[in-house]
Amino acid sequence: MTAPPPGNPLRQALWPLALLYGGVAAVRNWTFDAGLRAVHRLPVPVVSIGNLTVGGTGKTPTVAWLCERARAAGRRPGVLARGYGRAPGAELNDEGTMLQRRLPWLLQRQDPDRRAAGERLCADGADIVVLDDGFQHRRLHRDLDVVCLDARYPFGNGLCLPAGELREFRSGLRRADVVLLTRAGALAEDQLAARAARLRQLAQEPMLPVHACEHGPADVVAQPGGAVLPLDELRGRRAVLLSAIARPESFRATAAALGVEVTAEHRFRDHHRFTAAEVAAAAAAARAADAWLLTTEKDDARLTAHDVERHVLRIELRFLGEPPPLSEWLL
């Protein structure tokens, strides 16, 4: 990032701020790498699931996948998160609530002070801690750093905030132990191979494990009630989409691929708290169109207070090809 990007005038104007943002992040990382800032170690293994960009790259489905595998291996996993977007007085934010519904046995702690929260999580009985969205949180030692990157646009436009989507320079990838290329289903094998080679080059690690995966639909849950329906129920079905996620266009594309006829969309910013009027308007649009009100599993965590009939599309992590060995994930 040595010259202003061509084209977009706003991006050109923000380019100096992007350099400053990335530079500050780089200096901060150097202070940890040089041992100038303390790093706290928990008494159990810590696996961080994070990314280099803002926006959705599929971290939460990855956390769920890892916790399920950990439990199947006889471990007691716990998830540690900052709790961004958590409602006042609530113990869990949207992602945490979604995880708790899917995995009722899961231990969770959310607190900006992840060192203290991690110690409480270990006291709760966790023998492996999954640090959700933890790649840039350097105060806590991790035994494995997993980085999720969108296979289509791994670094967004290649610029740091506020001109782009990067939280730090791409060189931060050198800290990664495993890379997941998410939303990789639409890419050809040669494209994925080229991306993997480029990532290993940036990470300066020719043996860096790079796995291609996608977040595919699993089933549909009718709420309230919780009846689980097969995906075939969506084919040919009319639906009004209600979402407040980072990438609503992905939700629409998934619904369309399942044969849904989308009659309308009600989109809100990520982590938006739905008001009664907004939910009522979406439900009314669905009734008027003789359609289902279709939402995401993350959004459904914010709809429990609203007495409205809805259908929830649940997503799961799937690897393209052989899944990585559990030993690679400290299991």
Side-chain angles (χ1 to χ4, degrees):
M1 215 188 318
T2 57
N8 191 309
L10 178 60
R11 192 173 297 159
Q12 289 179 331
L14 293 175
W15 175 74
L17 293 178
L19 278 181
L20 178 62
Y21 188 101
V24 170
V27 170
R28 179 178 178 274
N29 280 320
W30 174 81
T31 62
F32 281 103
D33 295 338
L36 300 179
R37 301 181 70 174
V39 176
H40 180 72
R41 184 185 293 267
L42 294 179
V44 303
V46 175
V47 179
S48 167
I49 309 294
N51 58 11
L52 283 177
T53 61
V54 295
T57 53
K59 294 186 300 295
T60 303
T62 304
V63 169
W65 176 88
L66 178 55
C67 289
E68 288 177 320
R69 298 307 179 279
R71 188 168 192 254
R75 308 295 289 273
R76 194 176 185 196
V79 173
L80 178 60
R82 182 181 185 277
Y84 176 79
R86 184 173 43 175
E91 291 187 5
L92 300 173
N93 64 2
D94 304 336
E95 291 86 354
T97 301
M98 184 186 91
L99 286 170
Q100 205 68 60
R101 287 183 179 178
R102 182 177 289 201
L103 312 173
W105 41 264
L106 184 63
L107 299 172
Q108 292 195 75
R109 289 282 184 173
Q110 294 190 345
D111 193 319
D113 186 349
R114 276 166 277 192
R115 170 182 173 176
E119 291 173 344
R120 294 197 299 271
L121 195 57
C122 293
D124 293 338
D127 60 12
I128 183 170
V129 167
V130 180
L131 181 59
D132 189 3
D133 197 12
F135 193 56
Q136 285 76 32
H137 183 75
R138 302 293 304 277
R139 286 185 60 215
L140 197 65
H141 170 82
R142 68 289 313 281
D143 299 274
L144 187 75
D145 258 313
V146 180
V147 176
C148 299
L149 298 174
D150 189 315
R152 301 164 301 175
Y153 314 103
F155 307 111
N157 61 11
L159 301 177
C160 287
L161 294 165
E165 298 82 28
L166 284 172
R167 298 178 175 187
E168 57 178 298
F169 293 141
R170 293 179 295 181
S171 57
L173 198 62
R174 296 171 191 169
R175 305 195 310 275
D177 299 303
V178 177
V179 172
L180 296 187
L181 280 173
T182 65
R183 299 189 175 92
L187 274 67
E189 287 188 18
D190 59 336
Q191 291 177 301
L192 290 173
R195 278 168 172 72
R198 176 58 176 157
L199 294 176
R200 293 185 178 108
Q201 181 183 44
L202 288 170
Q204 298 182 355
E205 176 48 71
M207 301 303 293
L208 177 69
V210 179
H211 303 288
C213 57
E214 60 183 354
H215 297 93
D219 50 37
V220 182
V221 180
Q223 296 286 20
V228 179
L229 308 175
L231 293 174
D232 288 346
E233 290 289 331
L234 289 172
R235 186 159 300 281
R237 181 82 60 176
R238 294 162 62 86
V240 170
L241 306 186
L242 175 63
S243 67
I245 54 178
R247 299 181 186 273
E249 66 279 1
S250 295
F251 178 39
R252 180 183 179 118
T254 299
L258 291 170
V260 174
E261 179 186 345
V262 178
T263 62
E265 286 186 80
H266 292 245
R267 292 183 179 183
F268 300 89
R269 60 176 176 80
D270 195 15
H271 291 284
H272 174 73
R273 295 282 154 193
F274 300 114
T275 66
E278 290 164 349
V279 175
R287 288 193 298 270
D290 189 24
W292 278 1
L293 180 61
L294 188 64
T295 190
T296 72
E297 192 175 9
K298 175 182 170 181
D299 290 307
D300 190 52
R302 280 172 269 122
L303 290 171
T304 54
H306 302 279
D307 185 20
V308 60
E309 290 188 3
R310 60 199 183 275
H311 287 79
V312 183
L313 181 61
R314 297 200 298 189
I315 301 296
E316 64 183 3
L317 177 69
R318 300 171 185 163
F319 287 92
L320 305 181
E322 288 295 320
L326 294 183
S327 59
E328 190 174 281
W329 298 72
L330 307 185
L331 298 178

